[in-house]
Amino acid sequence: MMNNNEMLLLKLGEVVLKGLNRHSFEEKLVNNVRRRMRTCGKFQITLRQSTIYVEPLNDECDMDAAYAACRQVFGIAAIARAVPCAKTMESITKTARTYLADEFATARTFKVESKRADKLFPMTSIQISQEVGGNLADLFPHVAVDVHNPDLTVYVEIRENSAYVHAPSVPGAGGLPVGMGGHAVSLLSGGLDSPVSSWMMARRGVELEMVHFVSPPYTSQQAQDKVLQLAQELTAYCGRMLVHVVPFTEIQEEIRKNCPEEFFTLIMRRFMMRLAQAVAKKAGAKALITGESLGQVASQTMMALAVTDDVAQMPVLRPLIGMDKVEIIRIAREIGTYDTSILPYEDCCTVFTPRHPATRPNLDEVREAESRLDVEGLVSKAMAGETWIRVKP
Ligand code: ATP
Ligand code: MG
């Protein structure tokens, strides 16, 4: 398919179900698309009748890049590359013939499916399909009409300003526009899980800010760079974001010095929650997100999660809680974070892992073990060392 007028039609997803909020959903989505198109050239982006029109304004626009970027914008159900033309049967036929020439060359059967959004247009959609279908059948005598199971479906849409011709649309990223679901802080490690959990909540419209804990000299600069790279990969879906980097060494050393080994990880996780919460409060975020999955490791049993949640004063969203590792890996591959996640750098969690972690911890015992530490002092000291990095698509 090649054509200088080519543009994109983005069909709105779940957004259309939102009743009175619909207007703000649409506005958010259009803005998100607009922001994402900036690196692909100059486009006119308009919304009419539950469709966003992405039209290039000059020849320098990179349509392949625009198409790829739109496929990663949450809130879009389907995407088609299309060509506009005059609202006459001749013009529509001519456009379909040239724009879909390659598709016709390989198809043995086809049909035309028409939609008439412009109700003033003098022909019905069935009449349009019949006439354009007849014309195309004459132009491509080797391709027969088959309305039931065609190799190629030619779509014709008659809208207010133009007619549009396109081949079948492909699924969009689905979900809700980022920004409509509130603002949360996601705990991002270098592993497989947390990029996936971040992506899943972004798909529900949540705007993300990341927090990453580092424990130099036990963790390396490469480990931190890997996390920044994961955040970078996520910006294709989530848009630009801040990554807060919080020093965690002293907390871990204090835990190791003062607490029973079986509780190391649990107490460490309680500190992670407190620090993530401090970041969230500063940022005005209303929830935390983790990549925990029930039973995956000792700190992710039901009782261990209760010990962690004990210090949380805001919802902790755990979208992977009921997912198997194979499902998580499949999503990581699909969204493009897998290859980075498997790079072999140490995470602060793996530095002081107990040999026999408590899997059925008693909350009072953990609290009591933790009370040997200056919890508030350690939290404020770590927060004083917080830095942040802005990551852009
Ligand atoms: P992942 O694959 O995401 O690293 P995991 O299965 O290895 O997860 P844990 O290491 O116990 O599990 O971590 C559970 C969750 O805690 C992670 O999914 C992440 O949300 C958070 N987390 C762990 N380590 C860090 C870190 N260094 N910085 C920020 N968050 C972290
Ligand atoms: Mg991890």
Side-chain angles (χ1 to χ4, degrees):
M1 291 189 293
M2 265 302 291
N3 189 295
N4 294 333
N5 287 330
E6 196 181 38
M7 42 98 64
L8 305 175
L9 294 177
L10 315 181
K11 312 283 167 130
L12 268 55
E14 214 173 314
V15 172
V16 296
L17 302 175
K18 294 292 168 186
L20 288 176
N21 282 332
R22 174 173 174 162
H23 185 68
S24 66
F25 273 67
E26 290 178 344
E27 211 170 327
K28 195 61 127 187
L29 183 53
V30 169
N31 282 334
N32 290 350
V33 171
R34 200 164 271 148
R35 210 174 295 125
R36 296 302 315 287
M37 288 301 99
R38 275 188 206 144
T39 52
C40 308
K42 281 207 173 315
F43 290 87
Q44 179 177 305
I45 295 158
T46 45
L47 180 134
R48 292 189 297 268
Q49 295 168 316
S50 294
T51 301
I52 295 174
Y53 296 71
V54 181
E55 294 165 274
L57 289 173
N58 57 40
D59 291 345
E60 270 122 63
C61 289
D62 184 339
M63 287 310 287
D64 290 332
Y67 179 68
C70 285
R71 292 200 66 181
Q72 297 177 308
V73 175
F74 293 128
I76 294 167
I79 302 178
R81 299 174 82 135
V83 170
C85 62
K87 289 155 72 168
T88 65
M89 294 306 110
E90 299 72 52
S91 173
I92 292 168
T93 304
K94 215 175 121 198
T95 302
R97 177 176 69 172
T98 44
Y99 183 51
L100 301 176
D102 291 349
E103 283 79 356
F104 271 106
T106 53
R108 276 164 309 151
T109 54
F110 85 105
K111 76 167 172 181
V112 176
E113 209 170 291
S114 304
K115 222 166 63 190
R116 191 179 54 129
D118 172 9
K119 296 300 173 202
L120 296 176
F121 193 74
M123 293 166 76
T124 66
S125 44
I126 292 174
Q127 287 170 328
I128 298 164
S129 297
Q130 279 173 346
E131 183 158 345
V132 174
N135 292 345
L136 290 170
D138 292 343
L139 289 166
F140 297 103
H142 70 286
V143 190
V145 174
D146 176 353
V147 293
H148 300 296
N149 194 18
D151 294 340
L152 170 65
T153 301
V154 176
Y155 290 85
V156 175
E157 299 186 37
I158 309 284
R159 290 173 171 260
E160 250 167 69
N161 299 345
S162 299
Y164 296 86
V165 174
H166 61 87
S169 48
V170 299
L176 302 172
V178 167
M180 292 316 299
H183 184 185
V185 165
S186 186
L187 287 81
L188 187 63
S189 67
L192 276 162
D193 303 324
S194 47
V196 173
S197 55
S198 305
W199 178 87
M200 284 179 74
M201 293 323 300
R203 193 173 60 167
R204 293 313 295 166
V206 177
E207 188 183 341
L208 302 181
E209 223 159 289
M210 305 300 190
V211 62
H212 176 61
F213 304 104
V214 291
S215 298
Y218 306 104
T219 61
S220 63
Q221 182 62 38
Q222 281 119 302
Q224 182 178 326
D225 291 345
K226 167 183 169 179
V227 169
L228 290 175
Q229 192 181 326
L230 287 169
Q232 171 80 54
E233 286 160 5
L234 288 169
T235 59
Y237 301 91
C238 313
R240 62 187 168 175
M241 59 173 79
L242 285 179
V243 179
H244 301 261
V245 178
V246 179
F248 207 58
T249 315
E250 189 179 355
I251 291 174
Q252 288 191 292
E253 286 177 339
E254 283 297 304
I255 295 172
R256 186 172 54 167
K257 240 188 283 168
N258 298 294
C259 304
E261 183 179 333
E262 59 167 342
F263 294 154
F264 280 1
T265 311
L266 286 168
I267 294 174
M268 187 186 79
R269 297 207 58 76
R270 286 162 63 93
F271 273 96
M272 284 190 177
M273 288 295 157
R274 292 186 179 103
L275 292 168
Q277 211 155 237
V279 170
K281 282 187 180 149
K282 272 208 294 183
K286 300 290 183 241
L288 304 179
I289 301 166
T290 77
E292 289 161 308
S293 167
L294 193 70
Q296 198 188 79
V297 288
S299 61
Q300 295 172 20
T301 65
M302 227 178 261
M303 291 168 92
L305 293 176
V307 167
T308 313
D309 277 352
D310 177 50
V311 299
Q313 292 150 6
M314 50 179 78
V316 181
L317 308 177
R318 298 181 169 98
L320 310 187
I321 198 70
M323 286 173 70
D324 283 358
K325 198 76 187 188
V326 279
E327 296 173 276
I328 297 167
I329 287 173
R330 183 180 53 74
I331 297 177
R333 284 189 199 277
E334 262 173 39
I335 66 177
T337 53
Y338 181 84
D339 290 337
T340 307
S341 282
I342 60 171
L343 295 174
Y345 301 118
E346 70 296 337
D347 181 57
C348 66
C349 284
T350 52
V351 179
F352 302 120
T353 31
R355 281 158 297 182
H356 303 291
T359 54
R360 300 171 59 79
N362 177 293
L363 178 57
D364 291 330
E365 283 176 37
V366 178
R367 280 182 176 164
E368 144 64 23
E370 190 187 66
S371 68
R372 291 167 218 168
L373 304 174
D374 171 17
V375 172
E376 266 171 48
L378 285 167
V379 167
S380 34
K381 226 163 143 196
M383 285 305 290
E386 181 225 336
T387 57
W388 50 263
I389 295 149
R390 191 180 291 282
V391 184
K392 289 187 199 160

